[in-house]
Amino acid sequence: MWTIEAMNKEAQNISELPSGRPMQTQFDTGLDYPRLGSVTFRRGTLTDNQEALFEQHWPRLGRILADELIDVDAWFGRSGHPTVVEIGSGTGTSTAAMAPLEADTNVIAVELYKPGLAKLLGSVVRGEIDNIRMVRGDGVEVLARMIAPESLDGVRIFFPDPWPKARHHKRRIIQSGTLNLIASRLKAGGVLHVATDHADYAEWIDELVNVEPSLEYKGWPWADAPLLTDRQVITKFEGKGLDKDHVIREYLWQKRDEREEKTGEK
């Protein structure tokens, strides 16, 4: 028979990732992908209340990186709804603010660090937000291993780590290979939305806006975007950037419909 202590330990185990170098997919496209370093996790950063909420609700609302495609309809308990993946959801400020405005959309928030997921989970529970689920893991690996091709209506990457030192630029998530991977997971007409307040990173992205042929760059703003693009609130990292007079740059792409293009050529 399971004791309360054993049940709590099991709940913690299913939310934990092993430390050290994580799983990393080997792509054969010849494109550039972010390289992962070792992953270490800060401990003791959750409050007792956060721990209790995590133990109670994570088994239903969250999962960790695995070599298993997510059955979105089963997880959300509904079928035929648009699905968006947010990579690097942080503390979930934008995630929790946007989700109630797009209640018809399934939102999968991906984040490595448990304290951020705990804050988002708390917002989900307290706000009775039904359309958010969470995955703990690296965003590229989650896309590669857990998301089916051509299954997403949107991908969001808000204020990714800029890795400002030149020797760390290879760790930036916006790369030619990542854009190719994202495009492969988007349905035709699906939207990629990126935001950054780091000037050098914006220049980096500017060089890549047209690198993926299956993504049509729409710029910003895009009034006819089929998904919500208003982030609603100023996130913690965004606020810090604004305090330093940083300029926020936003980018939108749409997955091309190859069938329509072929039809148009005839």
Side-chain angles (χ1 to χ4, degrees):
M1 180 178 295
W2 285 77
T3 65
I4 295 297
E5 181 180 0
M7 291 176 66
N8 287 345
K9 184 176 181 180
E10 179 66 13
Q12 183 180 33
N13 288 341
I14 64 174
S15 69
E16 296 300 334
L17 285 167
S19 59
R21 187 171 294 277
M23 293 187 292
Q24 182 144 7
T25 300
Q26 298 298 313
F27 297 97
D28 59 1
T29 62
L31 301 174
D32 296 324
Y33 295 84
R35 307 313 299 169
L36 297 178
S38 295
V39 177
T40 56
F41 300 108
R42 297 182 297 272
R43 298 186 181 277
T45 55
L46 269 61
T47 65
D48 290 344
N49 183 56
Q50 286 175 328
E51 288 283 7
L53 285 174
F54 218 93
E55 291 167 0
Q56 180 179 356
H57 297 283
W58 181 262
R60 177 176 64 90
L61 298 175
R63 57 185 62 187
I64 66 170
L65 174 65
D67 278 314
E68 180 182 358
L69 291 179
I70 293 172
D71 184 336
V72 174
D73 290 351
W75 201 12
F76 284 85
R78 59 186 187 178
S79 61
H81 289 255
T83 299
V84 171
V85 167
E86 181 179 351
I87 297 174
S89 55
T91 59
T93 308
S94 293
T95 319
M98 294 175 74
L101 301 180
E102 48 184 357
D104 191 53
T105 298
N106 301 325
V107 179
I108 300 174
V110 179
E111 176 58 52
L112 265 174
Y113 296 103
K114 189 175 180 179
L117 289 168
K119 288 184 178 180
L120 174 56
L121 187 145
S123 298
V124 169
V125 172
R126 288 189 297 272
E128 299 182 342
I129 303 173
D130 295 328
N131 61 323
I132 293 177
R133 301 291 186 270
M134 289 155 278
V135 178
R136 189 177 185 194
D138 172 75
V140 171
E141 292 305 311
V142 170
L143 285 176
R145 297 170 182 268
M146 303 185 74
I147 303 298
E150 298 186 338
S151 65
L152 298 179
D153 296 86
V155 172
R156 292 168 175 155
I157 307 176
F158 296 155
F159 304 97
D161 193 325
W163 293 106
K165 296 181 180 179
R167 69 176 183 273
H168 291 156
H169 285 180
K170 62 186 178 182
R171 296 187 180 183
R172 288 175 168 176
I173 192 170
I174 306 300
Q175 309 266 359
S176 59
T178 312
L179 293 171
N180 178 261
L181 175 62
I182 290 170
S184 75
R185 269 42 183 174
L186 287 172
K187 299 175 182 177
V191 175
L192 168 61
H193 182 184
V194 175
T196 183
D197 68 341
H198 192 276
D200 181 63
Y201 206 166
E203 292 179 5
W204 173 278
I205 298 172
D206 288 340
E207 294 294 322
L208 295 171
V209 292
N210 294 312
V211 74
E212 172 50 47
S214 61
L215 292 177
E216 180 183 0
Y217 181 55
K218 294 292 187 177
W220 178 271
W222 175 24
D224 297 325
L227 290 174
L228 180 66
T229 59
D230 184 350
R231 290 178 288 101
Q232 295 298 305
V233 294
I234 295 176
T235 67
K236 182 176 85 170
F237 295 106
E238 184 177 357
K240 287 181 178 179
L242 291 174
D243 290 341
K244 298 176 182 177
D245 296 324
H246 289 187
V247 175
I248 295 169
R249 295 283 306 279
E250 309 218 23
Y251 301 81
L252 292 168
W253 293 260
Q254 186 173 39
K255 172 76 173 290
R256 300 181 191 274
D257 190 331
E258 295 180 358
R259 292 168 300 179
E260 288 186 2
E261 291 184 354
K262 288 179 179 179
T263 302
E265 291 172 358
K266 294 182 178 179

